[in-house]
Amino acid sequence: MREKAKLEDVAKLAGVSPTTVSRVLNNRGAISNKTRQKVNAAIQELNYHPNEIARSLFISKTNLIGLIFPTTAHPFYGEMVFHIEKILSEKNYKVLICNTMNQAQKENSYLNMLLANQVDGMIVGAHNIGIEFYQKANLPIVAIDRKVSETITVVSSDNYSGGRLATEEILNQGRTKIIHINSVRQEEAPSSYLRRQGYEDVMKEHGFPYKTYELELPFDTKGKKQILSDILNRHPDLEGMFVSDDLTAALALSMIRKQDKDIFVVGYDGTEAVTTCLPELTTIVQPIKAMAQLAVDLLLKEINSGFKDIQKNYILPVTVRRGEK
Amino acid sequence: MREKAKLEDVAKLAGVSPTTVSRVLNNRGAISNKTRQKVNAAIQELNYHPNEIARSLFISKTNLIGLIFPTTAHPFYGEMVFHIEKILSEKNYKVLICNTMNQAQKENSYLNMLLANQVDGMIVGAHNIGIEFYQKANLPIVAIDRKVSETITVVSSDNYSGGRLATEEILNQGRTKIIHINSVRQEEAPSSYLRRQGYEDVMKEHGFPYKTYELELPFDTKGKKQILSDILNRHPDLEGMFVSDDLTAALALSMIRKQDKDIFVVGYDGTEAVTTCLPELTTIVQPIKAMAQLAVDLLLKEINSGFKDIQKNYILPVTVRRGEK
DNA sequence: ATGAAAGCGCTAACAC
DNA sequence: GTGTTAGCGCTTTCAT
């Protein structure tokens, strides 16, 4: 295995100094055409690739962005990560991906790893360690759907309206016996709380009883099914369910079909993947692409402004996607 | 924004030499307990994080792995990337993610980016540029579902058997008028060709006519639907379809339902997400986690053996997942 | 238009 | 046990 060529090798082969090669590479300063050609020829011949690591070390900038999310295996995050990476790569940034699987310990060690690797910034959509860990990082960070904070910018979609819309969608079907299934409330994640609030407010306004299940949903399908089954049994006359995650909603839907019940299910997220698989599911659509775009824009602004206080909360609107008949 | 502490700052504060700090950090050599404590205290106080970039530069190893895939927005790749990252992170490797969106130009520039960033190796599941680009990289690489090559290890699942199984599954329903829908054949991607071969061989063996559509499927759902609709119209008496991608199969399924036809659809991939959304779909399940594990194992072996010739093709078995009634 | 030299933050000989 | 020194591959003053 031939050793990798370095800048010095190129310089020697081209008969110039390392400085000159560097100038050609970075298009800086004035270079004669003849020199440029010699250098380029040498680069070609040696199949030379500049060492970004060395470059990063010198300029104290890596163009590396860390992404911390629960798991790309979930379509919501898979699509979110896709959009973020796509937008960042167009601006010449590279993306380090971290799947925390909702484990605080992993999130913490990923955070330290990213700091050690000198990322220029981070986009965080995981919710398990205190915001103070991130504040200590002293780095441009944008959070997605996280707790409001004095120093970290948050991008989210309108979870409260989402909860309201979902509930109204069911009520519009003439159904009033409606429960809500949510993930367990996490201190740092207001989204589930807001969705719940939206649901409960609407029910209260109409004077209907409401019931929210905050579940610590297990990762495996079997466990989820068991829990859902118990809930269905407990509500034999149920007419509607607002389930704050499409995948769990899908599970509920298929159980309902099997039991030949008539329960109207509304889900949450509205990813491409789930919409393709389950076009009949009514769901609240989060603007994933727009959230990704905004998060990136804000992050790059922080990075380029020297991390000054443009911290704020941004809330993007959600929409209803009515299931196809 | 306080400047980042560096090793030298820690050394000064602790009243020792940089070397000693480095030794404490890396647990190398013999250090007195007292010194270790002083150093650790200084590290704490300064909130010091070792600069991995500088370290990488010196030791000529980044512990960085590049992942090149079409898009994490597709559940198959989303899940694949999740598993790969999870396994790699346990071995202290970091992951740079690249979404090529099936564009050769992007794939090529990602490849160069990864080389410039001194990745220790790559796992590639995209199929748009010639294998020779990768060979030039002169780096440990494992390909997933790519063309067989003399110098690059390939991990795939048994696409030929998958094609056969899918077809037999439909025949077992007593259906014989079966078509196959595949993505357009790409020179470097044998998987679609092998699935097609499996389908056609089984049909031939039974003496039934066969028809394969190799489609350049557009990215948008609308376009896909149009194409599928045309195909359905062309085959009014169709009894079965083998569609070599679950998402496209899901689209076909919902159209078939709407038209109230009786066509048995078998898909391909068997991801968690699609299985959850569409438990009634029969599909060929690729062993995503096992493929990820094997790909990582082989890659790390190449990296640690100094990239010697353990190149080979590994084919993992697929299974049938029968749709729930 | 080009080159010499210093240094980004770290580690590994090699001393003592 | 601990420190001194050189250097990983690059860029950038500061010369010329």
Side-chain angles (χ1 to χ4, degrees):
Chain A
M1 181 171 175
R2 172 165 39 79
E3 281 309 307
K4 270 180 220 158
K6 50 194 187 189
L7 188 138
E8 200 190 323
D9 301 327
V10 176
K12 273 185 190 148
L13 182 59
V16 297
S17 77
T19 314
T20 301
V21 177
S22 174
R23 280 200 266 257
V24 171
L25 287 171
N26 299 291
N27 252 323
R28 250 190 274 289
I31 303 276
S32 78
N33 250 324
K34 220 174 83 186
T35 307
R36 171 170 280 116
Q37 276 164 22
K38 273 191 304 183
V39 170
N40 282 326
I43 287 174
Q44 283 283 317
E45 188 175 335
L46 296 174
N47 189 26
Y48 169 74
H49 289 269
N51 185 329
E52 277 289 326
I53 297 291
R55 185 161 195 278
S56 293
L57 179 59
F58 187 87
I59 66 178
S60 297
K61 182 162 195 307
T62 54
N63 273 31
L64 227 39
I65 304 293
L67 261 41
I68 303 187
F69 284 97
T71 165
T72 58
H74 190 294
F76 179 72
Y77 299 113
E79 293 182 16
M80 182 68 84
V81 166
F82 164 72
H83 289 296
I84 291 175
E85 192 280 329
K86 180 173 183 300
I87 299 165
L88 279 172
S89 77
E90 282 160 9
K91 311 237 174 195
N92 207 26
Y93 280 85
K94 300 151 280 184
V95 167
L96 279 169
I97 179 72
C98 308
N99 295 296
T100 64
M101 303 178 70
N102 291 333
Q103 289 171 25
Q105 189 207 341
K106 284 206 162 222
E107 187 172 340
N108 193 37
S109 72
Y110 274 128
L111 172 57
N112 286 321
M113 179 276 277
L114 292 175
L115 291 177
N117 282 276
Q118 313 300 115
V119 294
D120 292 341
M122 299 169 37
I123 298 180
V124 182
H127 309 274
N128 296 282
I129 60 177
I131 209 89
E132 65 272 17
F133 283 81
Y134 288 97
Q135 283 171 335
K136 237 176 42 186
N138 201 20
L139 194 83
I141 295 178
V142 171
I144 292 192
D145 248 7
R146 239 167 169 289
K147 188 176 190 170
V148 178
S149 137
E150 301 304 313
T151 57
I152 290 180
T153 302
V154 180
V155 169
S156 48
S157 61
D158 193 342
N159 289 293
Y160 178 73
S161 294
R164 291 193 64 101
L165 282 170
T167 311
E168 284 161 358
E169 205 60 28
I170 306 176
L171 288 172
N172 286 346
Q173 307 280 323
R175 296 156 188 256
T176 60
K177 290 179 186 125
I178 308 169
I179 63 166
H180 173 39
I181 294 182
N182 206 315
S183 55
V184 76
R185 196 198 314 189
Q186 283 166 308
E187 197 47 49
E188 317 291 343
S191 57
S192 49
Y193 176 70
L194 288 169
R195 291 177 200 172
R196 170 187 183 155
Q197 200 68 51
Y199 156 75
E200 294 184 353
D201 282 0
V202 169
M203 294 301 274
K204 279 184 211 164
E205 289 164 16
H206 284 81
F208 297 131
Y210 54 87
K211 170 73 184 168
T212 296
Y213 289 93
E214 280 191 339
L215 302 180
E216 180 130 34
L217 287 169
F219 254 112
D220 65 305
T221 304
K222 234 181 194 164
K224 279 192 196 175
K225 275 188 179 168
Q226 186 56 55
I227 293 172
L228 289 173
S229 172
D230 290 348
I231 292 175
L232 286 178
N233 286 338
R234 217 171 305 159
H235 298 268
D237 56 349
L238 197 64
E239 296 171 337
M241 286 172 89
F242 164 36
V243 186
S244 83
D245 163 61
D246 280 341
L247 254 27
T248 310
L251 236 36
L253 202 58
S254 78
M255 299 185 67
I256 288 165
R257 280 178 181 163
K258 261 186 222 159
Q259 300 184 7
D260 216 21
K261 290 192 171 177
D262 179 27
I263 300 174
F264 190 83
V265 176
V266 174
Y268 213 100
D269 284 350
T271 55
E272 293 279 337
V274 174
T275 299
T276 300
C277 292
L278 215 49
E280 65 269 32
L281 177 69
T282 293
T283 192
I284 306 302
V285 182
Q286 296 202 63
I288 302 182
K289 191 174 170 182
M291 291 169 79
Q293 180 75 56
L294 181 56
V296 170
D297 286 350
L298 292 168
L299 184 69
L300 295 187
K301 210 174 277 174
E302 286 191 27
I303 290 173
N304 295 324
S305 75
F307 187 28
K308 288 194 207 74
D309 25 38
I310 49 168
Q311 298 80 9
K312 223 184 129 183
N313 298 314
Y314 296 83
I315 298 176
L316 299 180
V318 296
T319 54
V320 177
R321 181 184 189 285
R322 298 222 164 78
E324 295 171 8
K325 289 290 172 304
Chain B
M1 179 170 173
R2 171 165 42 77
E3 283 307 309
K4 269 179 224 157
K6 49 192 188 190
L7 187 138
E8 198 190 325
D9 301 328
V10 175
K12 272 184 191 150
L13 182 59
V16 297
S17 76
T19 313
T20 301
V21 177
S22 173
R23 282 201 264 255
V24 170
L25 287 171
N26 299 292
N27 255 321
R28 251 191 273 289
I31 304 275
S32 76
N33 249 324
K34 222 174 84 187
T35 307
R36 171 171 278 116
Q37 276 165 22
K38 275 192 301 185
V39 170
N40 281 326
I43 287 173
Q44 283 282 315
E45 188 176 336
L46 296 174
N47 188 27
Y48 169 73
H49 288 269
N51 185 328
E52 277 288 327
I53 297 292
R55 183 161 197 279
S56 293
L57 178 59
F58 187 86
I59 65 177
S60 297
K61 180 159 197 310
T62 55
N63 273 32
L64 228 41
I65 303 294
L67 259 42
I68 304 188
F69 284 97
T71 165
T72 58
H74 190 293
F76 179 72
Y77 299 113
E79 294 182 16
M80 182 68 84
V81 166
F82 164 72
H83 288 295
I84 291 175
E85 193 281 329
K86 180 172 182 299
I87 298 165
L88 280 171
S89 77
E90 281 159 10
K91 311 237 173 195
N92 208 26
Y93 280 85
K94 300 149 282 184
V95 166
L96 279 169
I97 179 74
C98 309
N99 295 295
T100 65
M101 302 179 69
N102 291 334
Q103 290 170 27
Q105 190 206 341
K106 284 207 161 219
E107 187 172 339
N108 193 38
S109 73
Y110 274 127
L111 171 58
N112 286 321
M113 180 277 275
L114 292 176
L115 291 178
N117 283 277
Q118 313 300 116
V119 294
D120 293 341
M122 301 170 35
I123 297 179
V124 182
H127 308 273
N128 295 283
I129 61 177
I131 208 87
E132 65 271 16
F133 283 81
Y134 288 97
Q135 284 172 335
K136 236 175 45 185
N138 201 21
L139 195 81
I141 295 178
V142 171
I144 291 191
D145 248 4
R146 239 169 170 288
K147 189 177 190 170
V148 177
S149 137
E150 301 304 312
T151 58
I152 290 180
T153 302
V154 180
V155 170
S156 48
S157 61
D158 192 343
N159 290 293
Y160 178 73
S161 294
R164 290 193 65 101
L165 282 170
T167 312
E168 284 162 358
E169 205 60 29
I170 305 176
L171 288 173
N172 286 346
Q173 307 280 323
R175 294 155 189 257
T176 59
K177 291 179 185 127
I178 307 169
I179 62 166
H180 173 39
I181 295 183
N182 206 317
S183 55
V184 75
R185 195 196 317 187
Q186 284 164 310
E187 197 46 48
E188 317 290 342
S191 57
S192 49
Y193 175 70
L194 288 170
R195 291 178 200 172
R196 171 187 181 154
Q197 200 67 50
Y199 156 75
E200 294 184 352
D201 282 0
V202 169
M203 293 301 273
K204 279 183 213 166
E205 289 164 16
H206 285 79
F208 298 130
Y210 54 88
K211 170 75 184 165
T212 297
Y213 289 93
E214 280 192 340
L215 302 180
E216 180 130 33
L217 286 169
F219 253 112
D220 66 305
T221 303
K222 233 182 194 162
K224 279 190 198 175
K225 275 188 180 167
Q226 187 55 57
I227 292 173
L228 288 173
S229 172
D230 290 350
I231 292 175
L232 285 178
N233 286 338
R234 218 171 303 159
H235 297 268
D237 55 351
L238 197 64
E239 296 171 337
M241 287 173 88
F242 164 36
V243 186
S244 83
D245 164 61
D246 279 341
L247 254 29
T248 310
L251 236 37
L253 202 58
S254 78
M255 299 185 69
I256 288 166
R257 279 178 181 163
K258 260 186 222 158
Q259 300 184 9
D260 217 20
K261 290 192 173 177
D262 178 28
I263 300 175
F264 190 83
V265 176
V266 175
Y268 213 100
D269 284 348
T271 56
E272 293 280 336
V274 173
T275 299
T276 300
C277 292
L278 217 49
E280 64 269 30
L281 177 69
T282 293
T283 192
I284 306 302
V285 181
Q286 296 202 63
I288 301 183
K289 192 174 169 185
M291 291 169 80
Q293 181 73 56
L294 181 56
V296 170
D297 286 348
L298 292 169
L299 184 68
L300 296 188
K301 209 174 280 176
E302 286 191 27
I303 289 173
N304 295 323
S305 75
F307 187 28
K308 289 195 205 75
D309 24 38
I310 49 168
Q311 296 80 8
K312 223 184 131 183
N313 298 313
Y314 296 83
I315 299 177
L316 299 180
V318 295
T319 53
V320 177
R321 182 186 185 284
R322 298 219 164 78
E324 295 172 10
K325 288 290 171 305

